Amino acid sequence: MEIHELSIQGIRQALVSGQYSSHEITGALLQRIAEENPRLNAFVTVTGELALAQAKVADSRRARGEQGPLLGVPVAHKDIFCTRGVRTTCASRMLENFVAPYDATVIRRLQESGMVMLGKLNMDEFAMGSSNETSHFGPVRNPWNPARVPGGSSGGSASALAARLVPAATGTDTGGSIRQPAAFCGVTGLKPTYGRVSRYGMIAFASSLDQGGPMARSAEDCALLMDAMAAHDPLDSTSHAQADGQFYAGLDRSLEGLRVGVPEEFFGEGLDPQVAEAVQSAIRQFEKMGARIRKVHLPNNVHAVSTYYVLAPAEASSNLARFDGVRYTRRASCPRDLTDLYTRSRYEGFGPEVRRRILVGTYVLSAGYYDAYYLQAQKVRSLIREDFRRAFAEVDVIVGPATPTTAFALGDKSNDPVAMYLADIYTIAVNLAGIPAISLPCGFDRSGMPVGMQIMGNYFADEQLLAIAHQYQLQTGWHLRSPGQQGRG
Amino acid sequence: MEWEVVIGLEVHVQLNTATKIFCGCSTTFGAEPNTQTCPVCLAMPGALPVLNAAAVNKAIALGLALGSEINRRSIFARKNYFYPDLPKGYQISQYELPVVGAGHLDIVLPDGTEKRIGVTRAHLEEDAGKSLHESFDSQSGIDLNRAGTPLLEIVSEPDMRSATEAVAYLKKLHALVRYLDISDGNMQEGSFRCDANISLRRPGHPYGTRAEIKNLNSFRFLEKSILFEISRQKDILENGGQIIQETRLFDSVRSETRSMRSKEEANDYRYFPDPDLLPLVLEQSRIEAVQAQLPELPDAKKNRFMEQYGLPAYDAGVLTSGRPLAEYYETVAEGMDSKLAANWIMGELLGALNRTGLEVENCPVPAMQMRLLLSRIEDQTISGKIAKEIFEALFLESGEVDAIIEARGLRQITDTGAIVSLIEEIVSRHPQQVADYRSGKEKLFGFFVGQVMKESQGKASPDQVNSLLKQKLQGE
């Protein structure tokens, strides 16, 4: 097996056995990135020298006897996590040259565990998008078919993983931004329970929905990442006091007697039959493995998208106010006065989708509309949360498709915001409720594009979700397929 | 027909916590611009607020002192507006559910009457930075050292009916925050400032339209801006005009208020709960712990002073107007004539402090020296007049009471023989006046006392001079 094909677990074994050094692995991946990234555009910034230096440090730590499971394992980060000394753009012109003087807590924790940072990954601008087409640095391509989108907003992360440029990546998920691109690119990604992964240093889109999480090519690898990522963070007031867990150690668990709920609402109109078929067959697989399948209802899921597109823009309109042209952002040249400085800096710095959401968010919070939109949406949010509470009284987990279709073509929906928003129809409710969900490959459609399923769990069921996905991946091989095997182009 | 002015105050109190309300930066005033900042108060991307528990405790302390409801659950909200010294583009404040609910403050008016002023609420929020328009050649500088300093905004009911009442309320509140040690109350540095809502109405009628005067940072400015507003609004109303609801600024040079923006131009702040902060939930035990730490409050102290020291209400009020002064008094008065102590502190001490612009805290005459000085009056070592001279010396040059008495030979002459010979000297020098006195011009008695005192350089015991002189003049 070539170096770039190794999983986190594979790299770990190679490092332990001495087959490769971290420096060799890092060098090989940087080589691969240099070759493949130009056609994928998955990276905004490649930090080659820094990576090789970190790899050397990791190798010497290992030589001194350190044995952390992630020591010397390369990773790349969604460019939404602040990295000290390395520019953090959020794929926006606004932050084109922004270099943070601090590390996000997630970055710090992964760095302390000895991971080697290969660079910063492309994404939708400020994580607003479902196709990675809103990036200031250009769209990311889907390695399974470069005419297709990788999904978004963590599109660079999913594409780089699928193309075997990186064995591990970070992502963030506000309405499906980890799970949808994971599904489109045939990789595995976990949206953790809100509060398990620190948001400190992760550029905010919608604070009450944003959650960072791991992306990799297997649930097992995601578990290794979660062991390092999840922890209480005193710098984040919404971080949970018992955020940490035993993710990797908890993978070995039987599905015997597991109560799996299947929501009817997730299999209705708009769902591609090929996606439905792949997910149904995964459900049969769970049954074979001892799970008991039963129907559940999530009646308010139908309101999830509209609720989300009130609340998320509302929070975003406020969160993005700090990008005002005054301090560290891009500033319009020769402003006439203060208003001109604000309006032009923001108009020039933000792309059209970001501007659209700021406008929507400002509108729904404004005097006279607050009750009708924002407050109403908060009420519906409680109903959606209540749906899950009722469902989890009957079942342990809920399984359904991660996305209504497989990856669509670039340009397909970029002029139709509502069609684009509906790409997240199965993922958004999870964020509104704050529960965890994992997305993993469960088949392919006839055009050879991966199909993703989603397993949703109750609060703090992150370990359970990883274990179920891992048990499934022990029995199936979907997650092992790579675009290369399909033939390029 | 008369107009009645209706006044409500919003007072912004900077809390004297060591660190800012949502980050660990120092709150010390006067540092180099932007040296007391971090990613959180600079609003760097991804930075998040964490609430300072000390600021919350200070808010609770004020609430308890005002007899307010302490809300067991309160919410931080974002007040959204753009301004260069507001780095996040929003201020974290409290809107619908503040930490402190309804309470009251009792004020005493100059004529001695008491009035209860309702306090609607008090909420926690963060201060903004400062824009610096000087010394940057057509550009503006921004100093974010103050950004994130904890503020408590205390909102009164529209219960005040004169500038005098408003000033009395503000002074009482000012004394209270310093008593509670929740703010340094420094008005020059902006630690204690207020906005005044002022309207006129015919007595008994509904409230009129109000103007809000922003950012008043002295008692005098508050008084002047109210007086100006009363006459401005009266002019408009009596000429058939209407008051516009607007925000006005007080120009301290011209002693007038000027329109800043009208209600139509006002910002829509788009308040919504801050998703970065959980609701602030207060356990009863925490409130009780703050309660247990509260110092004796001004009203309680005043009552105790009246009872314990037998002081009139006015004296007790003055002496308890600040904690340092009250402590000074108690040190001086211990075991002494309490009225004498009150007179000296309210007269000599406060007079000298006023003249020199000093505070009790940095008074050059330590309380123990003052006490010693008064004890020397009581034991008749010196006269009251000499004591004033010594006080002057203590205040200006410092030193020690007994040392000054000895060094300057100020010990009172109580030796009867010495005084009698002084008297005889004076009497023999003024035979004409003696004759006049004896023939009935009794007011000449004062003349003799003055001459004797003068001859003794003020050191003769006045009591003894009086009685011995009387004996001498009447006896012969």
Side-chain angles (χ1 to χ4, degrees):
Chain A
M1 194 182 265
E2 288 192 68
I3 288 178
H4 65 257
E5 291 174 287
L6 292 172
S7 65
I8 297 177
Q9 188 67 300
I11 290 171
R12 177 190 180 182
Q13 282 157 7
L15 289 170
V16 169
S17 72
Q19 187 188 0
Y20 297 117
S21 68
S22 173
H23 195 262
E24 287 168 307
I25 292 168
T26 303
L29 288 171
L30 287 169
Q31 179 63 35
R32 170 112 181 135
I33 292 166
E35 286 164 12
E36 299 291 320
N37 188 57
R39 74 185 177 93
L40 295 172
N41 197 29
F43 277 82
V44 172
T45 305
V46 179
T47 50
E49 270 177 43
L50 179 69
L52 290 170
Q54 288 181 343
K56 269 198 176 144
V57 172
D59 282 332
S60 61
R61 278 170 70 179
R62 191 171 289 279
R64 284 199 306 270
E66 277 188 57
Q67 293 193 332
L70 297 175
L71 181 60
V73 176
V75 63
H77 298 296
K78 186 174 181 178
D79 208 13
I80 198 169
F81 289 100
C82 287
T83 44
R84 182 169 54 202
V86 174
R87 75 172 177 161
T88 301
T89 69
C90 232
S92 178
R93 192 179 183 205
M94 184 64 93
L95 294 174
E96 207 168 5
N97 299 306
F98 171 67
V99 179
Y102 54 96
D103 281 321
T105 298
V106 163
I107 301 291
R108 182 179 57 75
R109 293 191 62 84
L110 292 178
Q111 220 147 48
E112 282 169 4
S113 74
M115 291 199 95
V116 172
M117 182 173 83
L118 295 170
K120 305 296 288 290
L121 295 163
N122 207 342
M123 54 184 281
D124 279 295
E125 185 182 3
F126 283 105
M128 297 178 187
S130 308
S131 67
N132 219 121
E133 291 168 288
T134 69
S135 168
H136 172 59
F137 300 98
V140 177
R141 307 274 167 171
N142 190 317
W144 295 92
N145 179 345
R148 304 284 184 101
V149 303
S153 64
S154 310
S157 308
S159 174
L161 283 164
R164 273 63 182 168
L165 307 188
V166 299
T170 50
T172 63
D173 192 316
T174 305
S177 284
I178 286 176
R179 290 160 290 154
Q180 186 252 23
F184 279 11
C185 292
V187 301
T188 304
L190 174 73
K191 188 291 242 199
T193 302
Y194 185 83
R196 289 201 86 164
V197 173
S198 168
R199 294 189 298 114
Y200 188 82
M202 191 178 105
I203 299 177
F205 161 17
S207 315
S208 76
L209 302 160
D210 293 344
Q211 186 62 200
M215 297 176 75
R217 290 191 291 265
S218 68
E220 180 185 38
D221 282 1
C222 285
L224 285 167
L225 291 169
M226 272 299 275
D227 277 337
M229 289 170 80
H232 172 66
D233 183 5
L235 298 178
D236 174 1
S237 308
T238 61
S239 166
H240 199 280
Q242 273 90 43
D244 59 337
Q246 298 277 315
F247 301 92
Y248 182 73
L251 288 175
D252 186 19
R253 103 165 63 178
S254 164
L255 269 57
E256 196 60 53
L258 181 78
R259 297 171 301 165
V260 173
V262 178
E264 255 183 357
E265 293 83 357
F266 280 43
F267 290 86
E269 205 185 336
L271 179 63
D272 180 334
Q274 296 183 66
V275 173
E277 198 187 304
V279 175
Q280 292 294 2
S281 98
I283 291 166
R284 286 194 294 278
Q285 176 65 35
F286 287 133
E287 204 164 12
K288 245 187 270 171
M289 293 164 72
R292 297 200 309 264
I293 312 299
R294 66 165 74 170
K295 269 187 208 166
V296 288
H297 285 284
L298 299 171
N300 289 296
N301 188 69
V302 64
H303 303 302
V305 172
S306 46
T307 303
Y308 176 87
Y309 279 99
V310 170
L311 297 180
E315 293 183 19
S317 70
S318 175
N319 282 333
L320 271 61
R322 65 187 61 195
F323 307 113
D324 57 4
V326 174
R327 282 146 300 135
Y328 43 76
T329 58
R330 191 180 184 284
R331 177 185 294 175
S333 58
C334 307
R336 278 192 316 277
D337 54 23
L338 183 60
T339 308
D340 190 45
L341 176 125
Y342 283 145
T343 49
R344 275 202 295 125
S345 297
R346 285 169 68 78
Y347 185 82
E348 292 166 12
F350 291 137
E353 181 61 26
V354 174
R355 293 204 301 265
R356 181 182 355 256
R357 296 198 195 188
I358 290 173
L359 282 171
V360 169
T362 305
Y363 179 80
V364 300
L365 287 176
S366 56
Y369 298 98
Y370 181 87
D371 288 2
Y373 292 102
Y374 183 83
L375 220 54
Q376 189 67 11
Q378 288 291 18
K379 287 179 193 159
V380 180
R381 184 177 188 171
S382 328
L383 294 178
I384 288 169
R385 217 179 267 138
E386 185 59 18
D387 273 4
F388 282 112
R389 197 196 58 77
R390 258 197 304 265
F392 287 124
E394 295 170 20
V395 297
D396 300 307
V397 293
I398 298 171
V399 176
T403 58
T405 66
T406 56
F408 45 86
L410 262 84
D412 231 22
K413 302 186 179 187
S414 44
N415 292 318
D416 186 348
V418 174
M420 185 73 87
Y421 297 168
L422 288 172
D424 295 330
I425 190 162
Y426 302 136
T427 48
I428 278 177
V430 163
N431 299 79
L432 291 168
I435 58 171
I438 192 167
S439 166
L440 67 158
C442 65
F444 286 82
D445 71 4
R446 282 188 292 278
S447 62
M449 296 307 290
V451 174
M453 71 164 149
Q454 173 179 219
I455 314 171
M456 296 163 264
N458 210 340
Y459 300 101
F460 286 83
D462 310 64
E463 288 89 337
Q464 185 184 29
L465 297 183
L466 287 164
I468 294 166
H470 175 63
Q471 294 304 319
Y472 175 82
Q473 289 177 336
L474 286 177
Q475 303 296 322
T476 57
W478 305 116
H479 66 294
L480 299 174
R481 294 218 198 162
S482 81
Q485 294 164 336
Q486 304 267 339
R488 296 258 295 270
Chain B
M1 202 181 183
E2 278 306 297
W3 292 101
E4 179 178 61
V5 63
V6 175
I7 304 161
L9 298 184
E10 290 168 22
V11 181
H12 293 86
V13 179
Q14 250 182 30
L15 299 177
N16 57 353
T17 52
T19 57
K20 294 183 178 180
I21 187 168
F22 296 120
C23 65
C25 289
S26 165
T27 52
T28 312
F29 181 82
E32 282 292 299
N34 299 308
T35 53
Q36 291 174 170
T37 56
C38 73
V40 175
C41 55
L42 291 173
M44 298 290 264
L48 295 170
V50 177
L51 181 60
N52 180 344
V56 175
N57 288 348
K58 286 177 189 281
I60 296 171
L62 180 88
L64 293 170
L66 294 175
S68 304
E69 220 174 294
I70 305 297
N71 287 323
R72 302 289 292 272
R73 184 170 178 278
S74 64
I75 304 279
F76 285 94
R78 293 184 182 179
K79 179 180 181 179
N80 294 284
Y81 65 97
F82 284 100
Y83 205 71
D85 59 26
L86 184 73
K88 290 190 293 294
Y90 58 83
Q91 178 196 32
I92 303 177
S93 180
Q94 295 192 301
Y95 187 53
E96 283 181 338
L97 270 178
V99 60
V100 175
H104 59 84
L105 188 64
D106 294 330
I107 59 172
V108 182
L109 300 172
D111 68 1
T113 55
E114 277 204 22
K115 181 167 177 178
R116 173 159 291 192
I117 307 297
V119 173
T120 317
R121 58 182 281 171
H123 64 255
L124 282 164
E125 60 185 26
E126 57 181 338
D127 210 342
K130 274 183 189 158
S131 296
L132 311 166
H133 300 296
E134 302 86 25
S135 71
F136 289 99
D137 187 37
S138 82
Q139 293 192 312
S140 292
I142 296 165
D143 177 8
L144 294 174
N145 281 351
R146 197 181 66 178
T149 300
L151 289 179
L152 192 61
E153 179 175 335
I154 305 156
V155 182
S156 84
E157 289 290 305
D159 283 353
M160 288 154 275
R161 294 288 175 272
S162 67
T164 310
E165 288 184 14
V167 169
Y169 170 83
L170 195 64
K171 281 190 171 164
K172 185 76 182 277
L173 196 56
H174 185 247
L176 184 61
V177 299
R178 304 216 310 175
Y179 252 87
L180 295 168
D181 191 25
I182 64 173
S183 173
D184 65 18
N186 190 321
M187 297 176 89
Q188 279 86 46
E189 290 172 7
S191 306
F192 189 88
R193 52 192 197 260
C194 87
D195 303 339
N197 286 293
I198 304 164
S199 64
L200 295 186
R201 66 168 174 184
R202 298 294 188 191
H205 285 238
Y207 293 137
T209 305
R210 65 195 157 85
E212 184 181 15
I213 319 302
K214 281 281 190 198
N215 253 329
L216 298 161
N217 66 348
S218 86
F219 300 117
R220 210 160 43 87
F221 293 168
L222 173 65
E223 183 176 19
K224 285 187 166 179
S225 65
I226 292 171
L227 295 177
F228 179 86
E229 271 304 300
I230 292 173
S231 83
R232 184 185 74 86
Q233 296 188 17
K234 197 171 149 187
D235 276 357
I236 294 174
L237 293 170
E238 290 184 348
N239 288 305
Q242 283 193 324
I243 305 299
I244 306 165
Q245 187 174 336
E246 61 183 350
T247 303
R248 299 178 70 86
L249 277 180
F250 180 68
D251 180 336
S252 57
V253 178
R254 306 176 65 175
S255 263
E256 61 183 32
T257 67
R258 275 203 303 274
S259 180
M260 195 167 109
R261 58 169 181 264
S262 74
K263 190 189 177 190
E264 285 68 39
E265 298 166 77
N267 281 310
D268 176 359
Y269 291 120
R270 290 172 283 121
Y271 281 100
F272 75 105
D274 190 337
D276 287 334
L277 290 162
L278 302 177
L280 172 59
V281 175
L282 299 176
E283 302 296 331
Q284 187 59 34
S285 57
R286 180 170 179 184
I287 298 169
E288 282 164 8
V290 175
Q291 175 91 59
Q293 297 289 314
L294 283 187
E296 185 184 21
L297 296 176
D299 289 347
K301 204 183 272 283
K302 180 182 169 187
N303 290 334
R304 178 169 65 79
F305 273 32
M306 291 167 68
E307 207 160 289
Q308 181 178 340
Y309 299 111
L311 296 176
Y314 177 77
D315 291 13
V318 171
L319 291 171
T320 56
S321 63
R323 244 165 104 183
L325 183 61
E327 274 162 24
Y328 193 102
Y329 173 77
E330 295 209 85
T331 307
V332 175
E334 199 192 325
M336 302 281 297
D337 176 346
S338 56
K339 182 62 186 161
L340 179 74
N343 289 344
W344 269 79
I345 289 172
M346 290 166 62
E348 299 307 310
L349 184 80
L350 290 184
L353 290 175
N354 263 339
R355 278 195 299 281
T356 49
L358 290 173
E359 301 285 335
V360 183
E361 292 95 312
N362 38 40
C363 173
V365 184
M368 284 312 290
Q369 286 300 314
M370 181 64 127
R371 180 180 146 81
L372 197 57
L373 181 65
L374 301 190
S375 72
R376 289 293 169 260
I377 300 175
E378 285 199 333
D379 68 13
Q380 304 218 330
T381 307
I382 53 173
S383 66
K385 185 150 176 283
I386 291 292
K388 286 184 186 175
E389 188 186 325
I390 296 171
F391 175 80
E392 217 45 32
L394 285 172
F395 197 90
L396 296 175
E397 297 147 38
S398 80
E400 203 269 322
V401 172
D402 285 339
I404 294 174
I405 293 173
E406 290 315 317
R408 303 192 178 187
L410 297 174
R411 188 174 284 276
Q412 184 161 253
I413 300 169
T414 51
D415 169 18
T416 311
I419 294 174
V420 166
S421 62
L422 278 171
I423 289 172
E424 276 171 355
E425 169 73 25
I426 294 300
V427 165
S428 65
R429 250 193 253 160
H430 298 95
Q432 186 58 46
Q433 282 86 346
V434 172
D436 290 352
Y437 176 83
R438 285 182 178 152
S439 62
K441 271 196 163 179
E442 286 194 2
K443 59 181 177 186
L444 273 172
F445 187 74
F447 164 79
F448 290 106
V449 172
Q451 289 298 313
V452 174
M453 290 308 289
K454 194 175 163 194
E455 190 68 18
S456 78
Q457 293 164 304
K459 289 185 286 183
S461 159
D463 289 351
Q464 281 176 277
V465 170
N466 269 309
S467 59
L468 291 171
L469 192 60
K470 218 159 245 169
Q471 276 174 33
K472 174 79 184 168
L473 291 173
Q474 291 165 354
E476 290 178 20

